[in-house]
Amino acid sequence: MSKKIDSHFQTVDSILFAALQKIGEIPPVTKKGNSADHFTELAASIISQQLSTKVADVIWTRFVHLFPEGKEWAKGQPEPSLSPTKVLKVPDQLMRDQGLSWAKIKYIKDLAQKVVDKEIDLEHLDTLPDEEVITELVKVKGIGRWTAEMFLMFGLARPDIFSTGDLGLKRAIQKLYSLETEPDELKLLELSQKWSPYRTFAARILWRSLDNETK
């Protein structure tokens, strides 16, 4: 993160800044550049829903290996850009054999079909305000507000996104701020507002604070 962002957190929230100092540098997020990258990012988000990171990584790798552009892909390498047209041609049972649930197969194919039919224009999402991006994405079965917010953070690299529905963020805030109970939406909005215009970076600090506890 930049010194400007560090200085902002130091000024507005000493607790969050102390957590950042303990964690160290937060690596930058690179904005995905085209519709194929956006499709891949959203497909990965759908697969990861309600799964541990470890299980999601395994299933995602198996899924990617179904496609020529992903045959040699391994975790840690740049994501291959998957084609919605090719995804639609993969038999459902073959996707199921890689560990995807029937529901997630339906969701990914609904996303692919809407992209192919131009119901959703992924290439121009970056021209839209945050809330309009969310409105577009939730048209897809299986994509709710949380998934859309994660896409804004990591697909479009928007700097000022905070997801009040994220369980990890709630848990991190409860621990970091020594709250007796898990914060409700009103408390999250109140607390996160002072982090603006860098709420995405604040969220990443909070997630990392949880990671550090398990080490």
Side-chain angles (χ1 to χ4, degrees):
M1 295 193 305
S2 70
K3 290 183 178 179
K4 182 178 180 180
I5 299 173
D6 288 359
S7 177
H8 176 73
F9 291 143
Q10 185 176 19
T11 300
V12 302
D13 193 328
S14 60
I15 294 176
L16 188 72
F17 182 71
L20 173 60
Q21 295 298 101
K22 186 176 180 181
I23 290 165
E25 185 63 26
I26 302 290
V29 172
T30 303
K31 182 170 65 176
K32 307 300 187 296
N34 56 55
S35 60
D37 291 334
H38 294 337
F39 176 78
T40 303
E41 182 85 16
L42 289 166
S45 294
I46 289 171
I47 285 176
S48 70
Q49 289 172 359
Q50 298 179 315
L51 295 176
S52 69
T53 301
K54 184 176 181 180
V55 172
D57 285 346
V58 169
I59 295 175
W60 174 245
T61 301
R62 291 174 181 169
F63 176 72
V64 167
H65 286 180
L66 291 174
F67 305 94
E69 54 267 58
K71 283 291 185 184
E72 305 301 322
W73 181 82
K75 184 173 172 56
Q77 297 175 349
E79 299 280 355
S81 295
L82 302 182
S83 160
T85 303
K86 290 180 182 179
V87 167
L88 289 171
K89 292 178 180 178
V90 177
D92 290 2
Q93 184 60 56
L94 184 55
M95 293 172 70
R96 181 72 184 96
D97 292 343
Q98 312 315 309
L100 279 79
S101 67
W102 291 115
K104 289 182 180 180
I105 294 167
K106 181 179 179 180
Y107 300 157
I108 288 174
K109 289 206 167 180
D110 185 62
L111 169 64
Q113 193 65 61
K114 281 184 167 62
V115 172
V116 169
D117 293 344
K118 302 188 185 305
E119 289 184 45
I120 295 177
D121 187 351
L122 295 181
E123 193 144 5
H124 291 92
L125 286 180
D126 198 30
T127 67
L128 302 177
D130 297 337
E131 285 299 323
E132 289 186 27
V133 172
I134 293 171
T135 298
E136 281 296 295
L137 292 181
V138 298
K139 293 176 182 177
V140 178
K141 294 175 183 175
I143 293 184
R145 187 175 182 89
W146 178 86
T147 301
E149 287 168 339
M150 295 305 107
F151 177 76
L152 282 166
M153 286 184 180
F154 299 106
L156 299 183
R158 297 283 173 92
D160 196 31
I161 305 298
F162 191 82
S163 179
T164 58
D166 188 89
L167 296 178
L169 293 178
K170 291 179 182 180
R171 196 165 82 250
I173 287 172
Q174 183 179 356
K175 288 179 177 295
L176 201 60
Y177 293 83
S178 302
L179 303 179
E180 292 185 5
T181 60
E182 187 177 274
D184 59 17
E185 183 173 4
L186 186 62
K187 178 65 176 177
L188 292 170
L189 289 172
E190 177 189 340
L191 184 60
S192 64
Q193 190 57 46
K194 63 182 177 181
W195 302 328
S196 186
Y198 305 116
R199 285 177 290 182
T200 296
F201 297 94
R204 296 181 65 204
I205 294 168
L206 292 166
W207 281 319
R208 284 286 299 276
S209 73
L210 288 177
D211 291 341
N212 278 8
E213 286 184 1
T214 62
K215 293 178 181 178

